[in-house]
Amino acid sequence: MKHVLDSVESKFEMFQILDENGKIVNKDDMPDLSDDELKELMRRMVYTRVLDQRSIALNRQGRLGFYAPTAGQEASQLGSHFALEKEDFILPGYRDVPQLIWHGLPLYQAFLFSRGHFHGNQMPEGVNALSPQIIIGAQYVQTAGVALGKKLRGNKSVAVTYTGDGGTSQGDFYEGINFAGAYGAPAIFFVQNNHFAISVPVEKQTAAKTLAQKAIAAGIEGIQVDGMDVLAMYAVTKHARERAINGEGPMLIEALTYRYGPHTMAGDDPTRYRTEDLNNEWEKKDPIVRFRTFLESKKLWSEEEENKVIEQAKEDIKAAIKETDKYPKQKVTDLISNMYEELPQNLKEQMEEYKEKESK
Amino acid sequence: MAQMTMIQAITDALRTELKNDENVLVFGEDVGQNGGVFRATEGLQDEFGEDRVFDTPLAESAIGGLSIGLALEGFRPVPEIQFFGFVYEVMDSINGQMARTRYRSGNTKQQPITIRSPFGGGVNTPELHADSLEGLVAQQPGLKVVIPSTPYDAKGLLLASIRDNDPVVFLEHMKLYRSFRGEVPEEEYTVDLSKADVKREGKDVTLIAYGAMVHACLKAADELEKNNINAEVIDLRTVSPIDVDTIIKSVEKTNRVVVVQEAQRQAGVAANIVTEIQERAILHLEAPVLRVTAPDTVYPFSEAEDIWLPDHKDIMEKVDQVINF
């Protein structure tokens, strides 16, 4: 009787290009990025870190609603996104607002999403994405559908989705990767393993040593990546995208990362389930710090440049929140008119009733 | 007597029954070390150990299935679904499986499961956290559906639910968790799962509600009193089964009724109550039975929720209509 688990699990090694000291450890897989592109990656990460800090502050002031902090996950979110094209369709989880913003969602709309305003969910023309999914893992099965659609139409683009470590326990996760595998559909499934599903550590989530190995059961390729390494994230995503477009099927990518902040701003207290030591251990791997070291060694980045990005981000956020405040408040009649293509009788009546209420 | 919030009363009930019955198991997402996202299970894992109070992997469907399996092994599971908006992921386990087990096994197997879950509006949650989805489970024969409105009832109803040998969906309105305290006896007691509570006696009109809307009705009743309208307020406490006797007794006295629910108007619990009344007491009615509900849209997430949610003013408006019919 042959047992295979050990031999399978040992094959899933973390893919890395830039180590935590900012040194290239894997020249062979170094992506072909111009200096400007490398700087753009840095710019996006710094900008997004500022956006996170400001969003937390705005939430505390009651000026934003639902918010899931992103600091720590910049390489995982933005390195992967940088390898995508405009025509690729993103199905994000609720922490994946940064990818939407860099895919083209205006900042003020991201803020309206946070406030629970429907306009925050209206992707502008040409922004191929759904608004963030709240139900854990639901986007995974839908991704198989978007990907199959692309295959049937012969589109040379991919469906891309993100969930967390907790999401890999949902039935939808397995069903999604299995369907995409069965159809050989062009999909990229990300698992941003930040090691805690709210409070539950990944070791309690599953007996599997890696989440990437879950690809095996679906018969698709899987890989584990250093999610704090923006170059590795970019390289892996680019590879997965090329494979998918060439008809080689979907891929599951596990990014090892960490969220520095709470699960969301609605009362989660990470000190109940994480130690300061663990936080420190991960902060040493910070994606921005290591990439800065790398860029500085190539004379591509300076403090001055970074400060310019920080100031730009602050200005943009200030302007965006102003625009958010100016946008007409959502009304109940907006909810009613967004329910069906044509209003049924009950809603026609209720439309009149609420119009009258709102006019008072 | 101790003064407790509803969340404290719930923790107290769980502790009581974990002590009383070694077959009681409490589990769900984040309920262990973290004590639940609302702290309903705070301290219980420390007190009873990881075999009795534990975290599950993140999968609502499997939480339902696990409960069914544990019940088949003679345990009395008290799982938590973190927010009732996530119930769609576990609908098959609840409506399709545990509710039908007694019948399917020819009454040789039972499912003494109590699913606890927070729901309800007014607390600024994202999508699929606040929705009033009790109608989905109230429609399913084989389940009981309980919705407490006070700390006292929460403890007594939860103990009764856990001890009940049929599956119970126990819905906890988030707005009521910490908004007020009430007297809760430290000793154990149960509140009958088939009895509504007359919260306030009156003679001119009957207001029927459950959950947070009970408090909106009480507020409306206070206001109406100023206009010499004397309202009776009935708290259903269980929306399945419905205590029809208490309702009809009140209707025969007041002859005018307004039924209030936080859920949307279409196919809801209120529609069922109205039907029961007109089938059983039509000749006692001086006016049509009216409903106060939310409109037939999805729950707003969350902008506009304050206008979307029914309140005491909406109730007073309908009372005015039934009084002046």
Side-chain angles (χ1 to χ4, degrees), chain B:
Chain B
M1 221 184 281
Q3 288 283 321
M4 289 188 199
T5 59
M6 187 187 278
I7 198 90
Q8 288 169 331
I10 288 164
T11 311
D12 191 48
L14 292 171
R15 181 180 290 113
T16 300
E17 218 46 11
L18 278 161
K19 262 187 211 157
N20 278 340
D21 183 349
E22 61 179 17
N23 289 316
V24 169
L25 302 176
V26 171
F27 52 88
E29 295 157 7
D30 304 286
V31 308
Q33 190 180 346
N34 202 36
V37 292
F38 289 101
R39 311 289 177 249
T41 53
E42 170 102 57
L44 297 180
Q45 187 175 65
D46 284 345
E47 197 174 337
F48 298 97
E50 285 191 42
D51 284 349
R52 306 278 313 279
V53 179
F54 53 92
D55 287 324
T56 62
L58 200 167
E60 291 78 19
S61 168
I63 291 171
L66 190 79
S67 302
I68 292 168
L70 285 164
L72 293 173
E73 279 292 304
F75 287 96
R76 205 164 271 274
V78 188
E80 176 180 296
I81 298 299
Q82 195 159 64
F83 291 91
F84 204 55
F86 308 168
V87 74
Y88 297 108
E89 291 278 330
V90 61
M91 278 306 279
D92 180 55
S93 282
I94 300 174
N95 285 29
Q97 306 298 328
M98 63 181 78
R100 308 167 69 98
T101 296
R102 185 178 293 284
Y103 175 76
R104 186 185 288 150
S105 68
N107 217 347
T108 59
K109 288 185 169 59
Q110 59 188 21
Q111 293 277 292
I113 298 167
T114 301
I115 300 168
R116 293 183 38 253
S117 192
F119 81 109
V123 289
N124 274 303
T125 51
E127 188 182 6
L128 285 162
H129 283 61
D131 306 54
S132 289
L133 303 176
E134 66 277 6
L136 298 179
V137 277
Q139 202 225 5
Q140 176 61 49
L143 297 176
K144 295 182 181 178
V145 184
V146 179
I147 305 181
S149 73
T150 67
Y152 178 92
D153 282 353
K155 178 173 174 180
L157 288 168
L158 184 52
L159 284 172
S161 299
I162 298 173
R163 290 174 192 177
D164 199 279
N165 285 331
D166 285 306
V168 176
V169 178
F170 189 91
L171 299 175
E172 305 164 2
H173 199 292
M174 287 184 271
K175 184 123 197 199
L176 303 181
Y177 266 159
R178 292 185 168 85
S179 57
F180 68 99
R181 284 167 191 275
E183 291 198 339
V184 177
E186 273 158 58
E187 62 273 17
E188 56 184 86
Y189 60 93
T190 56
V191 171
D192 197 327
L193 296 188
S194 59
K195 283 272 170 294
D197 184 25
V198 179
K199 281 270 173 247
R200 176 192 165 113
E201 299 215 9
K203 59 177 177 42
D204 298 327
V205 61
T206 299
L207 306 178
I208 301 172
Y210 53 94
M213 285 299 124
V214 171
H215 300 278
C217 287
L218 289 170
K219 193 169 175 189
D222 283 346
E223 294 288 319
L224 291 164
E225 196 65 56
K226 293 174 192 163
N227 303 328
N228 292 321
I229 297 168
N230 187 221
E232 178 145 306
V233 177
I234 295 177
D235 177 0
L236 290 176
R237 297 200 289 207
T238 59
V239 299
S240 176
I242 296 279
D243 176 6
V244 178
D245 290 348
T246 299
I247 293 170
I248 298 302
K249 214 172 118 197
S250 180
V251 174
E252 287 173 355
K253 177 169 69 170
T254 64
N255 315 117
R256 296 169 207 275
V257 191
V258 174
V259 188
V260 186
Q261 69 181 18
E262 185 175 311
Q264 296 87 339
R265 187 178 174 88
Q266 62 188 56
V269 170
N272 184 32
I273 305 283
V274 175
T275 310
E276 293 286 355
I277 293 169
Q278 72 85 16
E279 281 181 353
R280 292 161 194 264
I282 196 160
L283 294 178
H284 290 276
L285 291 173
E286 295 289 345
V289 181
L290 296 185
R291 282 177 287 171
V292 175
T293 71
D296 291 326
T297 73
V298 297
Y299 190 92
F301 36 97
S302 61
E303 200 162 297
E305 74 173 343
D306 292 341
I307 309 151
W308 190 89
L309 287 166
D311 65 11
H312 69 284
K313 285 183 205 145
D314 300 319
I315 298 168
M316 288 166 68
E317 214 179 287
K318 295 287 178 184
V319 167
D320 189 60
Q321 288 175 31
V322 296
I323 296 275
N324 297 308
F325 180 73

Side-chain angles (χ1 to χ4, degrees), chain A residues 12 34 36 66 85 97 130 153 157-158 168 177 179 189 191 209 212 221 227 243 260-261 299 304 329 356:
Chain A
F12 284 87
S34 69
D36 280 349
F66 172 70
E85 299 296 333
V97 176
L130 279 184
R153 297 226 182 270
S157 63
V158 296
T168 63
I177 59 175
F179 267 51
F189 296 97
V191 175
K209 270 197 197 127
E221 286 296 340
R243 283 185 77 251
Y260 297 156
K299 306 252 181 291
E304 199 190 340
K329 288 256 177 295
E356 202 191 312

Side-chain angles (χ1 to χ4, degrees), chain A residues 40-55:
Chain A
E40 176 61 15
L41 261 180
M42 182 63 178
R43 198 179 77 78
R44 290 186 182 192
M45 288 205 291
V46 171
Y47 191 109
T48 305
R49 180 70 61 89
V50 176
L51 176 61
D52 184 62
Q53 290 160 348
R54 291 300 304 143
S55 298

Side-chain angles (χ1 to χ4, degrees), chain A residues 130-261:
Chain A
L130 279 184
S131 55
Q133 177 60 249
I134 297 294
I135 296 303
I136 309 289
Q139 66 274 30
Y140 255 58
V141 257
Q142 298 165 13
T143 299
V146 174
L148 177 58
K150 286 179 177 299
K151 185 182 170 184
L152 293 175
R153 297 226 182 270
N155 287 350
K156 294 286 171 204
S157 63
V158 296
V160 181
T161 191
Y162 295 84
T163 190
D165 34 316
T168 63
S169 296
Q170 288 278 32
D172 285 353
F173 168 86
Y174 296 96
E175 294 166 23
I177 59 175
N178 187 58
F179 267 51
Y183 295 125
I188 307 177
F189 296 97
F190 284 101
V191 175
Q192 297 188 79
N193 176 0
N194 66 20
H195 295 82
F196 288 88
I198 307 190
S199 72
V200 179
V202 68
E203 301 77 42
K204 284 194 179 174
Q205 200 65 242
T206 176
K209 270 197 197 127
T210 71
L211 302 176
Q213 76 196 56
K214 296 194 176 199
I216 298 280
I220 69 173
E221 286 296 340
I223 188 167
Q224 190 184 60
V225 193
D226 182 350
M228 307 299 258
D229 172 0
V230 74
L231 294 176
M233 285 304 302
Y234 173 82
V236 159
T237 310
K238 198 165 170 55
H239 169 73
R241 190 175 186 281
E242 276 164 16
R243 283 185 77 251
I245 283 176
N246 291 335
E248 293 168 58
M251 193 156 169
L252 178 68
I253 300 172
E254 176 191 9
L256 297 176
T257 182
Y258 199 72
R259 76 170 139 79
Y260 297 156

